[in-house]
Amino acid sequence: MPDSAVDPVDTVTEVPVAVVGAGPAGLMLAHRLGRAGVDAVAIDLRGREEIATTHRAGILEADAARDLVETGVSDRILREGHEHGGTELRFGGRAHRIDFRELVGASVWLYPQTEVFTDLADARERDGAAVHFGVRGTEVLDVDTDRPRVRFTAADGTRHELRARYVVGADGSRSTCRGLVPEPLRVRYGTEYPFAWFGVLVRAPASAPELVYAHSEHGFALISQRTESVQRMYFQCDPDERTADWSDERIWATLQARVAGRDGFRLVEGPVLERSVLRFRSFVQEPMRWGSLLLAGDAAHTVPPTGARGLNLALHDVKVLAGVLLRALGAEGEPALADYQPLALRRVWRAQHFSSWMTRLLHTAPGAAPFELRRQLGELDSVVGTRAGRAYLAEQYTGWPTSA
Ligand code: PHB
């Protein structure tokens, strides 16, 4: 045990659940528990402002959108979000709409992760719950016992200890909590991709009514939206690409080339407000539970952003986990926790498959043979050219029912 594990602290708080990570997964879990009368304290290394301005994906499944409203987080999504009944695939220089409503009776909501976070952080504050942003020196201790502890230094320099019954690691793709599972028990599955996304925020009106996922011989591009005057776009790039090498002109020329086609489609251009390179991979760690520690969201699994599964998956994890934790803290006790992993993992692996399939379907691997490009076009044609193909994409993209 490290010496610091017994150093004096300024406060000791007994709380049923300590949550490491106050992004959307951690806060939604704490919110769900709070609604059922169970306190949860969440902490995060990052400041509130930093999380609120870290741009991530923008698509929520209809179930996740409804949950934000029905669990009393906020109904802002209904006023400021945009419901999309379909999406567009562009390839071979032509547009092909996938009509989610007609194919599977579902839709998705364009509502950026930054807004989901803001709604959750506001709701926690409104409900008088404890969330500590900008903490340092976090130590998660004794997760192999039924008295786990979390110690941390708050932003004001005071030192605190949470004495919990359960600790949830919702600390994102660079999770330290997942490293607490003893090495011989940890199984890590994953794969890397030979490309990344160059993401930009631009000041311009929308170029299309819905999202456009574009395949081209030059590589992939995604045209998404944010507000009436700000849009989000991405194009496939080398993982080592440097943003400094990309002028506005070069960015627009790249994007335009990737969406160009016989129909004359062009993006409406404007100043680039922000640019970043987003690396990604597919990753799953099992088990998602060890002792009194449970992992949720990106801490346990990450997916490539194609298909916008990551946030939805994290919100599904915590929906299942909240139910399981409430049972475990109630009459059933610890055995209830055994249900978490099987219920969460089924959707995790479906999303792993879908995200990696959609990524490979739309990106061009560096140095790929001409055969591969033509084969991809054949695959794309069989997706959009058959009702079964379109319905498959629509069903996966709009999400699956919650595991009971
Ligand atoms: C986004 O709007 O940032 C976004 C949308 C769909 C994706 C990924 C990112 O698949």
Side-chain angles (χ1 to χ4, degrees), residues 119-132:
D119 287 348
L120 283 163
D122 287 349
R124 292 274 71 200
E125 201 173 316
R126 175 196 69 205
D127 297 344
V131 182
H132 301 270

Side-chain angles (χ1 to χ4, degrees), residues 15-44 71-73 117 119-121 123-133 162 166-170 296 314-315 317-323 325-326 329:
V15 67
V17 180
V19 186
V20 181
L27 292 187
M28 187 63 179
L29 177 72
H31 174 77
R32 285 184 175 278
L33 294 174
R35 265 175 62 83
V38 169
D39 282 345
V41 176
I43 65 169
D44 203 296
T71 66
V73 174
F117 168 77
D119 287 348
L120 283 163
R124 292 274 71 200
E125 201 173 316
R126 175 196 69 205
D127 297 344
V131 182
H132 301 270
F133 291 105
L162 304 174
Y166 296 110
V167 173
V168 174
L315 293 174
D317 278 1
V318 299
K319 188 170 186 172
V320 171
L321 182 54
L325 280 172
L326 291 173
L329 290 162

Side-chain angles (χ1 to χ4, degrees), residues 46 55 62 73 96 130 145 148 195 238 267 276 297 370:
R46 297 164 300 169
H55 297 290
V73 174
H96 307 265
T145 73
F195 35 73
D238 188 280
L267 300 167
S276 55

